[in-house]
């Protein structure tokens, strides 16, 4: 079975002016067929996320008219704008809305669900989206609408801004993308207000960004990130935040948005596999955005000099939001407008700068978590997740049922590129159940098609093995499919084991259950509100690759050696210790791993030759 959301890399979508004109032409034809006599442009099946959607369609028509002056569009724009002003503006408090700071303010807002009190929790983002739709229309109204409609729209947008920042608590869902989007709305609105009012809104928008968003950034993998639904990053909403940071920088010119966007872009680059696969986040563990991410990935990919457009998006939303029948929806319409307006082109080559939390060359990549344990391994088009044993998750040696991968002290990292090889040495102090401190040295070497992993530590009692990953997904053309198979070779005996326990907390890769579904099944709250990452941490056991120690290791060491990816040559690495440290010889390279105590600067040394 194929994973439903992660499809082709977003930078594979044509982004020429001609391609975008074709997209807009299709939107126009759909809208003109759909518009009701009252001016409603909502999709007939739209129920939630509805309060801004007709206005979003109007903004696309206004933008299309600005580009092509289609004579059919002015009347449709005026009629649909009148519909929104008449039918979709609410000023009475929505019954049950829990985040008001001011009762009966009379300020306008947009509803997530039109029925009073039906689902008021979504009104804050719906109002932020309506603000963005409104300012996009204002940017395109010259010669399109009369002064009366334009004045009413400016007043409405200003009212939306005040409701978002005065009448309610700011960012009540702790969603970074929504919060930054609101700031972008304020920055864009300021350009349409009288100078004094505009400067007040601009100043407040910048202050809100600094005090309510930037000051609350969350650290992950060495980066400070805008928090997303209570977590540091979400693989659906995180790249959407990147798009909002791009637009904020384009509109305001403020360096802070460029700095924060570049930091987030480098983080995304480090966690993405070469093939663009990713999973994890406090809301959607595997779901991926589509066109909503294009602006940020393209804009900041160019700024940091890396191909973050390899991010696998949901191509069903490759151009704009759609309903199950494929019909266009006005939700998030501003993102299509902004990405057409921006002339940045995709940067399509990888960065050559070594990153602490990434090893990448060719079609091989390893993404490391904050503790420098692999969070995702890719080789030969197959993706490996951290496996689970006895409620412990990761890649690393297991002794007496205990996984040694959590550091108890500083983790040291050495990067090296030589003779067409790329390598990373991770030295990590850990303790087991016996409370003995051990230094694990994990060497990762790749030639761009295969990945060699060598893990060495002092000899252990019992029958230790290396937990070497959970084979989970594989490339399948421009899609990703589920798998429980892998092309892996081990110097010691290798086993692919499956959990014998029953229930959602035992994940068998042979089943049709996706990681996302299992994670939500284990989460504390309903799907869409629960944290699947927290749910996944409740996993007791999973399908796992288990590698026994390599034969021929020095008598005082246990060494595990695993090769991921195709390899016709026999895999029989040799090991020996000397004054310089542990020498590892494989069919492709010779490496010398320095003593864990390190050199004069206490940094473990690494040498490598093909």
């Amino acid at each position: 079975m194929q994973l439903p959301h992660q499809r082709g890399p977003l930078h594979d979508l044509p982004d020429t002016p001609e391609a975008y004109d074709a997209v807009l032409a299709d939107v126009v034809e759909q809208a003109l067929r759909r518009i009701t006599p009252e001016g409603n442009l909502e999709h007939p099946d739209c129920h939630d996320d509805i309060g801004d959607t007709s206005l979003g369609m109007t903004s696309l028509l206004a933008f299309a008219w600005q580009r092509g002056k289609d004579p059919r569009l002015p009347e449709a724009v005026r009629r649909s704008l009148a519909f929104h002003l008449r039918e979709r503006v609410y000023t009475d408090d929505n019954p049950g809305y829990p985040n008001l700071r001011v009762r009966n303010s009379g300020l306008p807002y947009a509803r997530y669900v039109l029925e009073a009190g039906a689902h008021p929790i979504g009104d804050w983002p719906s109002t932020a989206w309506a603000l963005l739709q409104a300012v996009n229309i204002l940017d395109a109204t010259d010669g399109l609408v009369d002064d009366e409609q334009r004045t009413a729209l400016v007043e409405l947008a200003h009212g939306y801004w005040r409701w978002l920042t005065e009448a309610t608590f700011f960012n009540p869902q702790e969603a970074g993308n929504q919060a930054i989007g609101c700031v972008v709305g304020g920055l864009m609105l300021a350009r349409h207000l009288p100078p004094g009012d505009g400067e007040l809104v601009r100043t407040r928008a910048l202050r809100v960004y600094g005090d309510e968003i930037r000051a609350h950034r969350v650290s992950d993998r060495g980066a400070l990130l805008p928090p997303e639904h209570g977590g540091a990053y979400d693989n659906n909403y995180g790249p959407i935040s990147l798009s909002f940071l791009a637009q904020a920088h384009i509109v305001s010119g403020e360096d802070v948005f460029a700095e924060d966007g570049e930091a987030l872009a480098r983080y995304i680059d480090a966690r993405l596999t070469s093939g663009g696969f990713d999973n994890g986040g406090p809301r959607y563990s595997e779901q991926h955005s589509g066109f909503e991410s294009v602006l940020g990935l393209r804009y900041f990919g160019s700024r940091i000099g890396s191909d973050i457009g390899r991010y696998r998006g949901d191509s069903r939303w490759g151009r704009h939001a759609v309903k199950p029948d494929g019909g266009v929806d006005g939700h998030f319409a501003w993102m299509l407008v902004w990405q057409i307006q921006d002339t940045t082109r995709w940067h399509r080559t990888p960065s050559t700068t070594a990153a602490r939390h990434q090893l990448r060359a060719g079609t091989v990549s390893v993404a490391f978590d904050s503790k420098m344990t692999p969070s995702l391994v890719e080789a030969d088009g197959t993706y490996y997740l951290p496996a689970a044993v006895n409620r412990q998750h990761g890649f690393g040696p297991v002794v007496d049922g205990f996984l040694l991968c959590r550091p108890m002290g500083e983790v040291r990292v050495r990067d090296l590129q030589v003779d067409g090889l790329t390598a990373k040495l991770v030295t990590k102090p850990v303790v087991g159940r016996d409370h003995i401190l051990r230094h694990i040295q994990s060497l990762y070497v790749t030639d761009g098609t295969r990945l060699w992993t060598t893990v060495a530590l002092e000899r252990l009692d019992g029958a230790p093995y290396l937990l070497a990953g959970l084979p989970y997904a594989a490339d399948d053309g421009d899609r990703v499919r589920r798998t429980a198979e892998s092309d892996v070779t081990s110097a010691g005996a290798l086993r692919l084991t499956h959990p014998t326990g029953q229930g959602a907390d035992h994940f068998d890769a042979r089943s049709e259950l996706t990681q996302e579904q299992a994670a939500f099944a284990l989460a504390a709250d309903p799907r869409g509100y629960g944290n699947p990452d927290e749910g996944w941490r409740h996993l007791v056991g999973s399908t796992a690759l288990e590698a026994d120690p390599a034969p021929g290791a020095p008598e005082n060491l246990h060494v595990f050696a695993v090769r991921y990816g195709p390899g016709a040559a026999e895999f029989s690495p040799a090991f020996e210790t000397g004054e310089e440290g542990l020498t590892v010889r494989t069919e492709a390279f010779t490496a010398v791993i320095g003593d864990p105590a390190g050199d004069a600067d206490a940094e473990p040394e690494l040498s490598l030759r093909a």
Side-chain angles (χ1 to χ4, degrees):
M1 59 175 282
Q2 292 175 320
L3 297 179
H5 302 286
Q6 297 196 44
R7 298 178 180 231
L10 288 177
H11 64 201
D12 286 353
L13 290 169
D15 63 346
T16 62
E18 294 77 16
Y20 280 132
D21 283 340
V23 171
L24 283 176
D26 177 60
V27 170
V28 165
E29 295 307 320
Q30 288 194 49
L32 292 179
R33 289 195 302 269
R34 178 187 302 168
I35 191 169
T36 68
E38 297 78 22
N40 187 354
L41 284 169
E42 293 159 3
H43 190 284
D45 295 336
C46 193
H47 173 68
D48 54 18
D49 268 324
I50 191 173
D52 68 295
T53 61
S54 182
L55 196 63
M57 293 294 293
T58 305
S59 76
L60 291 174
L61 296 184
F63 182 64
W65 179 83
Q66 191 181 45
R67 283 172 67 88
K69 297 298 188 292
D70 185 330
R72 300 174 297 170
L73 296 183
E75 192 274 335
V77 168
R78 294 165 193 156
R79 184 150 51 100
S80 59
L81 179 56
F83 168 80
H84 183 84
L85 292 170
R86 183 179 68 248
E87 302 289 344
R88 293 295 181 259
V89 177
Y90 298 87
T91 55
D92 294 334
D93 294 350
N94 199 354
Y97 185 70
N99 301 314
L100 290 176
R101 299 178 61 192
V102 179
R103 294 286 304 273
N104 302 315
S105 68
L107 292 171
Y109 65 94
R111 285 186 176 173
Y112 178 76
V113 173
L114 298 182
E115 181 185 352
H119 193 60
I121 196 70
D123 289 355
W124 201 90
S126 289
T127 303
W129 303 161
L131 169 62
L132 291 168
Q133 315 284 25
V135 294
N136 268 354
I137 295 173
L138 290 172
D139 283 350
T141 53
D142 288 346
L144 186 58
V145 301
D146 58 32
D147 290 343
E148 182 179 356
Q149 266 197 329
R150 189 181 188 284
T151 298
L153 186 58
V154 170
E155 291 177 353
L156 176 63
H158 197 184
Y160 282 153
W161 168 254
R162 291 188 59 202
W163 188 86
L164 290 163
T165 58
E166 298 174 21
T168 72
F169 288 96
F170 186 80
N171 190 22
Q173 295 184 11
E174 298 182 357
N177 75 98
Q178 298 172 8
I180 304 170
C182 177
V183 168
V184 172
L187 294 171
M188 296 182 70
L189 169 66
R191 303 181 300 183
H192 296 286
L193 297 174
D197 293 339
E199 186 56 33
L200 286 174
V201 169
R202 176 187 166 86
T203 300
R204 180 165 176 77
L206 294 175
R207 187 169 66 250
V208 163
Y209 181 74
D211 294 346
E212 302 290 345
I213 302 171
R214 199 164 199 262
H216 298 281
R217 288 176 297 171
V218 179
S219 177
D220 187 47
R221 307 185 195 195
L224 289 174
L225 309 171
E228 188 55 62
H229 286 288
Y233 176 82
D234 185 280
N235 62 3
N236 180 25
Y237 292 117
I240 298 175
S241 285
L242 194 66
S243 288
F244 283 130
L245 287 168
Q247 183 67 4
H249 185 244
I250 292 168
V251 171
S252 72
E254 294 288 335
D255 290 340
V256 66
F257 298 116
E259 294 168 5
D260 292 355
E262 289 175 12
L264 177 54
R266 291 190 182 95
Y267 171 89
I268 292 173
D269 189 25
R271 70 175 288 144
L272 274 185
T273 58
S274 293
F277 177 84
D278 187 22
N279 77 304
R283 281 291 293 272
Y284 293 115
S285 196
E286 285 184 345
Q287 289 195 37
H288 270 44
S289 51
F291 77 104
E292 313 100 305
S293 302
V294 166
L295 173 65
L297 294 169
R298 195 172 65 194
Y299 187 81
F300 284 110
S302 178
R303 289 185 67 93
I304 69 170
S306 192
D307 58 336
I308 55 177
R310 67 185 187 277
Y311 174 96
R312 285 184 179 269
D314 190 334
S315 57
R316 293 169 298 184
W317 278 40
R319 297 303 193 180
H320 45 65
V322 296
K323 289 298 183 184
D325 66 358
V328 62
D329 183 7
H331 193 46
F332 271 71
W334 64 86
M335 285 292 192
L336 175 58
V337 174
W338 297 345
Q339 64 173 274
I340 295 175
Q341 291 173 330
D342 178 56
T343 58
T344 304
R345 298 276 67 84
W346 286 111
H347 185 99
R348 297 182 180 275
T349 56
S351 171
T352 57
T353 304
R356 178 179 174 90
H357 295 90
Q358 176 193 55
L359 174 73
R360 182 186 176 201
T363 58
V364 172
S365 56
V366 184
F368 296 86
D369 64 18
S370 292
K371 298 176 180 179
M372 289 306 298
T373 296
S375 62
L376 197 54
V377 172
E378 170 194 21
D380 194 31
T382 299
Y383 303 100
Y384 303 83
L385 303 178
V389 56
N390 296 330
R391 301 185 186 276
Q392 304 160 92
H393 301 194
F395 290 75
V398 178
V399 56
D400 191 25
F402 189 84
L403 175 61
L404 299 173
C405 72
R406 288 166 296 282
M408 184 63 68
E410 189 65 25
V411 180
R412 312 299 181 105
V413 178
R414 264 281 166 85
D415 287 285
L416 196 61
Q417 289 183 313
V418 62
D419 296 340
L421 300 172
T422 303
K424 187 184 294 285
L425 174 64
V426 177
T427 301
K428 182 184 297 188
V430 301
V431 292
R433 295 191 195 277
D434 55 11
H435 291 241
I436 296 175
L437 185 70
R438 295 179 172 88
H439 291 271
I440 294 180
Q441 293 189 289
S442 302
L443 174 63
Y444 307 87
V445 180
T446 179
D447 61 0
T449 58
R450 295 164 293 177
L451 172 70
W452 291 266
T453 300
T454 306
V455 179
L457 75 164
E458 66 183 76
R459 187 164 286 269
L460 302 163
D461 294 331
Y465 64 89
L466 182 74
L467 197 63
L470 156 63
Y472 176 68
D475 290 339
D476 185 13
D478 63 351
R479 296 288 299 277
V480 179
R481 61 176 169 81
R482 279 292 311 283
T483 189
E485 301 175 351
S486 61
D487 192 352
V488 177
T489 309
S490 172
L494 181 69
R495 300 173 295 277
L496 180 63
T497 65
H498 303 285
T500 56
Q502 301 296 314
D505 55 357
H506 293 81
F507 187 79
D508 191 327
R510 298 169 299 180
S511 73
E512 293 190 356
L513 194 70
T514 67
Q515 187 269 348
E516 177 187 349
Q517 290 168 330
F520 268 113
L522 295 169
D525 299 305
R527 180 180 177 82
Y529 299 94
N531 184 337
D533 277 3
E534 286 186 357
W536 187 249
R537 282 193 283 271
H538 292 299
L539 198 67
V540 173
S542 73
T543 292
L545 287 164
E546 300 176 357
D548 285 343
E555 63 179 14
N556 64 327
L557 295 177
H558 265 129
V559 180
F560 305 90
V562 174
R563 183 181 65 195
Y564 300 82
E570 181 182 355
F571 185 52
S572 301
F575 315 96
E576 63 181 82
T577 53
E579 292 183 0
E580 294 181 328
L582 174 66
T583 299
V584 180
R585 292 186 176 90
T586 74
E587 77 281 13
F589 64 87
T590 297
V592 180
I593 302 172
D595 189 279
D599 57 17
D601 297 322
E603 291 293 337
E605 293 185 314
L606 172 66
S607 64
L608 181 70
R609 69 176 185 272

